[in-house]
Amino acid sequence: MQPAATVLFQGDSITDAGRDRARPDDLGHGYAALAAAALPGTPTVLNRGIGGDRLTDLRARWDTDTLAHRPDLLSLLIGVNDTWRHHDSGLPSPADTWEDEYRELLHRLHAHCAPRLVLIEPFLVPVTAEQWTWREDLDPRIHAVRRLAAEHDALLLAADGLLNQAARAVGDPALIAADGVHPTPLGHRLLADAWLGLVTGAA
């Protein structure tokens, strides 16, 4: 990591993780802060995740909250709220259109600057029987992120499999994501360690 590099974490509440938005340098209390603390060198690390964001919300602030920072490394996690709002509010977000809009953001990014890119799969660790029905909507988004990572030569953090495997190992999905969506401290630690392994090349 170059000393003057800018690392930007972008996404929804999982990335936001309770950050103080009145303090531009606050990283919140989740995987972004944990990963930042272990990065080598002295990069500038920014967190611009916003709780509740769907992809359309991220698109609306892409210029000011992403492109304006000209990151050397961009980490992006988005998608579960598109599924959640589909199920609890009936808000439409067809997976094929979602993929096209995600792709457009990446094209705009690479036209503006050429950062190293980490794409994190949206994930769900079902804690209720009803949440298993969400997978029909979420799984195509996970596959879309995998395709986009391949298209854009990005590092891929396969978070859905990672966290669901961990849930099986500990014997209770709520120990990984209390509501199925938002990671516990253990869930955030698992994400941070996997992220660092990808970015730094650590085993």
Side-chain angles (χ1 to χ4, degrees):
M1 188 68 61
Q2 295 296 319
T6 296
V7 177
L8 175 61
F9 289 89
Q10 187 58 272
D12 53 31
S13 60
I14 300 164
T15 301
D16 184 334
R19 68 183 178 92
D20 181 353
R21 295 181 201 167
R23 293 173 46 212
D25 61 343
D26 188 55
L27 299 177
H29 309 288
Y31 76 92
L34 294 170
L39 280 172
T42 55
T44 297
V45 183
L46 303 172
N47 183 346
R48 293 298 181 268
I50 292 186
D53 265 14
R54 297 190 301 151
L55 185 63
T56 186
D57 303 302
L58 181 60
R59 287 181 69 198
R61 60 185 182 85
W62 192 245
D63 288 353
T64 55
D65 278 0
T66 302
L67 302 188
H69 297 294
R70 300 188 68 87
D72 298 285
L73 187 153
L74 173 66
S75 178
L76 179 55
L77 167 58
I78 196 77
V80 73
N81 285 321
D82 290 86
T83 290
W84 200 345
R85 297 290 82 84
H86 169 72
H87 279 271
D88 72 0
S89 303
L91 294 177
S93 177
D96 54 350
T97 302
W98 185 89
E99 180 175 355
D100 289 342
E101 292 175 349
Y102 197 132
R103 182 177 287 108
E104 177 199 353
L105 293 186
L106 298 182
H107 284 320
R108 287 170 57 196
L109 174 72
H110 288 299
H112 185 76
C113 53
R116 199 173 175 203
L117 191 58
V118 181
L119 299 186
I120 305 176
E121 292 176 354
F123 55 83
L124 176 69
V125 185
V127 296
T128 67
E130 192 272 336
Q131 279 185 328
W132 283 103
T133 68
W134 296 17
R135 297 226 61 109
E136 183 178 0
D137 185 87
L138 184 68
D139 286 355
R141 302 183 202 279
I142 293 171
H143 298 157
V145 171
R146 294 175 183 174
R147 283 190 291 272
L148 292 167
E151 287 176 18
H152 290 269
D153 194 26
L155 296 170
L156 173 68
L157 202 171
D160 189 65
L162 171 75
L163 295 182
N164 278 278
Q165 183 179 32
R168 293 291 300 152
V170 300
D172 182 355
L175 295 177
I176 301 301
D179 62 356
V181 172
H182 296 95
T184 61
L186 174 57
H188 275 293
R189 170 51 68 187
L190 291 168
L191 285 174
D193 288 348
W195 191 96
L196 285 164
L198 284 174
V199 169
T200 68

